[in-house]
Amino acid sequence: MEMPEASKQNESEHVQNPEPDQILSPRRSLQLHQRKWWISVLFCLFLVVAGDSLVMLLLNFFYVQDNRQESDQDLQYKGTWLQALVQNAAFPILIPLFFIFPSPKPNQETNNTRFLSFRLLFLYLFLGVLVAAHSKLFALGKLYANYGVFTLISATQLIFTVVFAAIINRFKFTRWIIISIILTVLIYVFGSPEFGGEPVENEEFYSIQAWLTFAASVAFALSLCLVQLGFEKLLVKTKRYGNKKVFRMVLEMQICVSLVASLVCLVGLFASGEYKELKGDSERFKKGETYYVLSLVGLGLSWQVWSVGLIGLVLYVSGVFGDVVHMCSSPLVALIVVLAFDFMDDDFSWPRIGTLIGTVLALGSYFYTLHKRNKKKMVELNQSENSVEV
Ligand SMILES: Nc1nc2[nH]cnc2c(=O)[nH]1
């Protein structure tokens, strides 16, 4: 059969200009690929830890500056739609990055089918609503009672992530991953930072807080596993971005999901009437309205840094690993909060030093599994090369 002209041209271009990876031996190419992968993983890990630290610093700044002692009792529980909106709304800063990052050629056979676009659209819509829900629920949960109780209940997010990952992603657990998960839960519970948004004693609602935080943890865990499923089944397997996992996928996911989540939170802000309080809130801010706006902008940007890192870890490794890194950052965040704020009774004592050491062990044992997986791939390649030579 006669080959179409365009396809002939494509093929000859392909032969004349092979991709850099194709010039190298398979072994060298795998080595380079694994090195790039490690750099991407470490970069995303850095983003998650930096995002977590910045968010907690700015949240503490926000609530310390909010002059609640000087106003009527119950202001503490308002402003949660605003917090949920801030968690998602700064996504437009990612749009220029999306166009800067290179996109590999899409696969001609599978790209642009209507069915695929519909499924992807549905996934982004569903994830957007889920992210809006956990943003709002976590914001409420944090403000309803003691932060120690909040971390105790929100530690279940990792347990839910593990369960969903086993069901949805068919996640394979190793002994080292299980050790890492157990250590992470302990670190998160015992190494939590101080939080300036705690209510005073007569405002605490433990039973409501428990349910809200529980629901937030389930929604967060489900969103991580669905993001992973979306990457695997809709973006990578269908070769929408060629054969590779590329950072552009992370940006696409984050921009689309945050757009939907921001719209939901915006509707919540107006429908609940919370928007009417923004003026009073900004006037009550000790450092003045400019700092009120700046702290919200800073929070918005910090949440984006965190989310991009988290989704990056889901793409390159898994939802479980993303959650492990997020929760392991807790002792480091606690240390930064001790250094930055002068909260009563908040010091970096031996139990917290212990959680910091635990963090190294938890991440170390997960990294050990990742290292072993990479090594296994290299050994398999060597074996297949040897069997071809024989
Ligand atoms: N997933 C998640 N975990 C948290 N731990 C403390 N705050 C949060 C939050 O807002 N989201």
Side-chain angles (χ1 to χ4, degrees), residues 89-110:
F91 70 89
I93 56 148
L94 302 176
I95 295 173
L97 285 181
F98 178 79
F99 290 105
I100 291 169
F101 272 90
S103 169
K105 287 197 189 83
N107 186 300
Q108 298 296 319
E109 293 153 29
T110 48

Side-chain angles (χ1 to χ4, degrees), residues 52 55-56 59 87 134-135 138-139 142 147 150-151 154 157 188 216-217 220 303 306 310 323 326-327:
D52 265 324
V55 164
M56 203 50 178
L59 264 185
Q87 188 160 340
H134 75 64
S135 307
F138 268 128
K142 275 180 201 165
Y147 194 69
F150 167 82
T151 41
S154 63
Q157 64 182 274
Y188 186 74
S217 303
F220 179 72
W303 276 118
W306 177 78
L310 188 71
D323 209 8
H326 161 55
M327 290 170 70

Side-chain angles (χ1 to χ4, degrees), residues 173-180 369:
F173 294 93
T174 65
R175 193 185 325 149
W176 295 103
I177 290 181
I178 293 170
I179 293 173
S180 174
T369 291

Side-chain angles (χ1 to χ4, degrees), residues 288-317:
E289 286 177 38
T290 315
Y291 275 90
Y292 175 80
V293 175
L294 282 180
S295 61
L296 287 178
V297 171
L299 259 176
L301 297 177
S302 310
W303 276 118
Q304 289 305 312
V305 171
W306 177 78
S307 307
V308 168
L310 188 71
I311 295 184
L313 290 181
V314 177
L315 173 72
Y316 294 117
V317 189

